[in-house]
Amino acid sequence: MDAGCSGADGRKSISAAEARRIILGRVQPLAGWERVAIRAALGRILAEDVVAPCNVPAHDNSAMDGYAVRADDLQADGDVTLQVVGTALAGRGFSGLVGPGQAVRIMTGGVMPAGADTIVVQEVARRDGTAIVVPPGIRRGQNVRRAGEDLAVGAVALPRGKLVGPAELGLVASLGLAEVSVHRRLRVAFFSTGDELASIGRPLAPGEVYDSNRYTLYGALAKLGCDIVDMGVVPDQPETLETAFRNAAACADVVLTTGGVSVGEADFIRALMQRLGEVSFWKIDIKPGRPMAFGRIGETWMFGLPGNPVAVLVTYYQFVVDALLKIAGLDPLPERPLTRVICSEAIRKLANRREFLRGRLFEEAGEWKVRPAGKQGSGILRSMSEANCFIVLDENQGDVAAGDAVHVQLFDGLV
Ligand code: AMP
Ligand code: MG
């Protein structure tokens, strides 16, 4: 079918870009927040600006090992001899005053002694007994780190909406802060649907498949730091599904389901979402993952993902993860850069839909190239495991010949 064609219910399928626009335009950050101890903030999103309560660094100090001197003593065109009158170490300063003709031995991080304004690095100063000889060409203030140079007191050290990683933890600690305010964790419930699904731990009956989607989603959501509510497998049975939906919507901010969302006889998800709430769209012109319903029941956002295991991950990464991040308070949302590289193999591609192939970037003769990672069927999860990127083929792209450039989106950073 073409892009923008009418579906069986008269509603149009939409492009991937339009689907992202709708989702990210509708969802809004949650209001709840909590104070947590600094280490517990790792992976959380700041709910308030972190404001510097002090200067960083707190004092003017030396950026190098060398000598603290007075720039007024130095000559523009000749050597100067200065008497070394003491030492300043990091954490143990020189308490006296550096007078005319004097210098103080100083180590990196040592507080600038009173009277001195410039650091001569030790490789440049020539030591001569208790004196040093300083050549010309030293700038006033050279190699001095100024108090407040990293952060002045009162400045916003980290803005609200920022994800706290290792650098942010260090920055918060450098301000002497023991706690920060973070958005509350997002509560995400999910269940798998399908009469054919068997839970792990028992042999398969004929026609059954093990439910893998709940484990994939568990992994993706756990990595994101969500509160997870695993509601198990729900059979393709309208009353049971309705109960599951109502329970999920009552306890979670977001509900993810897999399977049952296309137009097969046993596909009840979309109709149920429509009856219990509203559905913004349920078909996207992509492969894999064409049926994917987005909507809400009450205050709870609903994503009805396809059943095929690869389609679950594709739709999760392309449409769900940024929505979760926005609801969780992340601002701005991460860039999702596409890089263009040469594709080493030919790929068949239909026009009017965006395709996400599982790709493997590799280096050949100093150049990075990409090839499809294994068999591309939307049920073949191994392709996802062997891949390190998506090959993203746009709506207007036709077949790819070996040697053509294609867009790739790296898994690294995708979360
Ligand atoms: P559906 O979207 O329900 O028609 O499912 C599409 C395909 O994905 C079928 O082959 C299902 O058996 C398979 N599938 C659906 N849910 C799961 C699951 N939780 N784990 C593994 N395979 C699934
Ligand atoms: Mg099904």
Side-chain angles (χ1 to χ4, degrees), residues 191-198 207-216 232-233 236 258-264 266-267 269 291 305-312 378-379 381:
F191 54 89
S192 298
T193 72
D195 289 338
E196 77 283 26
L197 299 181
E208 286 186 333
V209 294
Y210 286 120
D211 171 18
S212 61
N213 289 343
R214 271 194 305 135
Y215 295 87
T216 307
V233 176
D236 294 315
T258 69
V261 79
S262 52
V263 284
D267 294 333
I269 296 294
L305 306 185
N308 272 310
V310 175
V312 168
S378 63
L381 207 44

Side-chain angles (χ1 to χ4, degrees), residues 321-374:
V321 70
D322 284 351
L324 297 181
L325 289 170
K326 181 167 180 189
I327 300 168
L330 193 73
D331 182 29
L333 288 175
E335 274 105 29
R336 302 286 183 206
L338 291 176
T339 314
R340 256 181 114 69
V341 297
I342 297 296
C343 186
S344 64
E345 292 176 19
I347 301 172
R348 289 192 56 74
K349 159 73 171 60
L350 290 186
N352 294 330
R353 69 183 186 194
R354 189 173 294 187
E355 296 192 8
F356 299 91
L357 285 87
R358 278 65 65 208
R360 182 86 207 166
L361 281 162
F362 64 99
E363 199 185 350
E364 191 176 74
E367 195 182 358
W368 283 90
K369 297 181 177 175
V370 72
R371 62 178 160 70

Side-chain angles (χ1 to χ4, degrees), residues 35 49-58 148 150-158 170-180:
R35 294 282 291 173
D49 291 348
V50 174
V51 173
C54 56
N55 281 322
V56 180
D150 291 359
L151 282 169
V153 61
V156 174
L158 294 167
L171 194 54
V172 169
S174 77
L175 298 171
L177 299 175
E179 289 187 341
V180 289

